[in-house]
């Protein structure tokens, strides 16, 4: 079995694969101060609750956008699972041609998503990942990762309003049909939801225009914690694929194991 771990700024998502079958997936908070023993016990306890023993895990792969944990987590895997994990980064075989000026700058999560997105949906492809940040990645025909853009995520935007203003309250982020709020809370919720929804479609339109794409040919897939909230409002998002990152890790693992 393969333990696949994606370390995000807010959450760590991990799952266990038996070949191509995902047996389960789980989400825990990303806490930089946790020790390798704490993470090791978390993984062990969660897996044991689903009848998966540490000895059942024969391989592991990790992608991360949180550098401080890239010492802690690999050590946790070595100590508790007795295996050497693959770390997604420079030198990892992906099957994707990265066109960034400096390929080392591309976040591991974006590469992993691109691998799975291209293999599952083909190209041209726009991937929208709605996590702590909202990222847009464009993959052209032939599996070329052309680049993309990064903007503040939903929670970052909400937190900024609360922390950088004197009177605006901390609010629950909700999908709302109303564009005109009649209370401060409703106004913030409407501004966040409709502002970000509109921005997402605007950016997709600009990518299609700049890359001279046929809008009926391009695939637009979203993922991330807020993907389901914004997909209904988008004119372009065709599908929410919440497991794309874990599936991408499984695909990259297969490309890098020695036969």
């Amino acid at each position: 079995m393969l333990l696949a771990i994606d370390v995000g700024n807010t959450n760590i998502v991990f799952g266990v694969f038996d070949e191509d079958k995902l047996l389960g997936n789980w989400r825990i908070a990303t806490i930089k101060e946790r020790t390798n023993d704490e993470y090791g016990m978390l993984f062990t306890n969660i897996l044991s609750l689903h009848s998966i023993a540490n000895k059942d895990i024969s391989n592991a792969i990790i992608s991360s956008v949180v550098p401080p944990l890239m010492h802690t987590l690999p050590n946790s895997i070595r100590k508790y699972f007795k295996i050497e994990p693959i770390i997604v980064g420079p030198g990892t075989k992906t099957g994707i041609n990265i066109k960034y000026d400096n390929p080392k700058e591309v976040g591991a999560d974006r590469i992993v998503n691109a691998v799975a997105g291209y293999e599952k949906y083909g190209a041209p492809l726009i991937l929208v990942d709605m996590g702590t940040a909202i990222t847009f990645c464009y993959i052209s025909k032939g599996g070329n990762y052309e680049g993309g853009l990064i903007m503040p995520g939903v929670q970052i935007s909400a937190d900024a309003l609360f922390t950088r203003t004197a009177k605006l309250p901390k609010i629950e982020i909700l999908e709302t049909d109303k564009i005109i709020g009649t209370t401060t809370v409703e106004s913030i919720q409407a501004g966040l939801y409709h502002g970000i929804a509109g921005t997402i479609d605007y950016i997709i339109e600009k990518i299609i225009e700049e890359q001279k794409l046929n809008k009926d040919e391009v695939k637009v897939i979203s993922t991330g914690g807020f993907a389901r909230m914004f997909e209904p409002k988008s004119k372009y998002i065709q599908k929410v694929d919440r497991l794309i990152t874990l599936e991408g890790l499984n695909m990259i693992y297969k490309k890098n194991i020695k036969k």
Side-chain angles (χ1 to χ4, degrees), residues 6-240:
D6 177 57
V7 184
N9 287 293
T10 303
N11 292 305
I12 296 173
V13 178
F14 65 101
V16 173
F17 286 88
D18 186 354
E19 296 294 336
D20 288 329
K21 183 179 180 181
L22 182 60
L23 302 181
N25 65 95
W26 305 274
R27 183 181 297 262
I28 60 176
T30 301
I31 300 176
K32 301 182 187 71
E33 292 75 22
R34 277 183 179 147
T35 66
N36 61 351
D37 289 314
E38 288 174 307
Y39 275 114
M41 290 303 297
L42 264 176
F43 292 138
T44 298
N45 291 339
I46 291 172
L47 293 180
S48 66
L49 287 172
H50 294 82
S51 302
I52 301 172
N54 287 19
K55 63 181 178 58
D56 296 329
I57 304 297
S58 55
N59 299 283
I61 184 167
I62 302 172
S63 65
S64 174
V65 295
V66 185
L69 285 179
M70 289 318 294
H71 174 75
T72 303
L73 279 177
N75 280 344
S76 176
I77 299 304
R78 294 181 189 110
K79 181 173 182 179
Y80 284 83
F81 294 89
K82 312 301 181 188
I83 51 180
E84 184 65 34
I86 293 173
I87 310 298
V88 178
T92 308
K93 296 176 184 177
T94 63
I96 293 289
N97 185 19
I98 300 172
K99 295 290 190 175
Y100 242 51
D101 291 345
N102 181 0
K104 294 180 181 180
E105 292 181 354
V106 185
D109 56 338
R110 300 173 76 188
I111 295 172
V112 172
N113 287 348
V115 169
Y118 180 65
E119 291 203 19
K120 291 182 71 175
Y121 304 106
L125 171 68
I126 298 171
L127 289 170
V128 187
D129 190 341
M130 301 181 203
T132 306
I134 299 175
T135 64
F136 297 76
C137 299
Y138 170 56
I139 298 93
S140 63
K141 289 183 177 179
N144 295 314
Y145 183 97
E146 302 289 352
L149 59 112
I150 304 169
M151 61 176 277
V154 185
Q155 192 64 59
I156 287 177
S157 300
D159 290 345
L161 280 175
F162 172 64
T163 58
R164 299 298 296 271
T165 60
K167 296 182 69 175
L168 296 183
K170 194 174 183 67
I171 56 96
E172 181 183 3
I173 299 166
L174 295 175
E175 179 181 349
T176 173
D177 291 326
K178 292 174 62 177
I179 192 74
I180 300 296
T182 54
T183 67
T184 299
V185 169
E186 284 183 354
S187 298
I188 297 171
Q189 289 171 331
L192 284 170
Y193 181 71
H194 293 284
I196 290 174
T199 300
I200 288 168
D201 272 6
Y202 173 80
I203 289 173
I204 293 170
E205 287 174 357
K206 295 301 290 184
I207 294 173
I208 290 171
E209 176 186 324
E210 182 179 278
Q211 298 298 319
K212 298 179 173 57
L213 302 174
N214 181 339
K215 66 179 181 179
D216 296 322
E217 181 185 3
V218 66
K219 289 89 172 173
V220 183
I221 307 298
S222 66
T223 190
F226 286 97
R228 292 198 185 280
M229 180 180 288
F230 289 94
E231 182 267 340
K233 282 291 180 186
S234 175
K235 296 183 293 185
Y236 298 99
I237 294 173
Q238 299 157 5
K239 182 178 180 180
V240 173

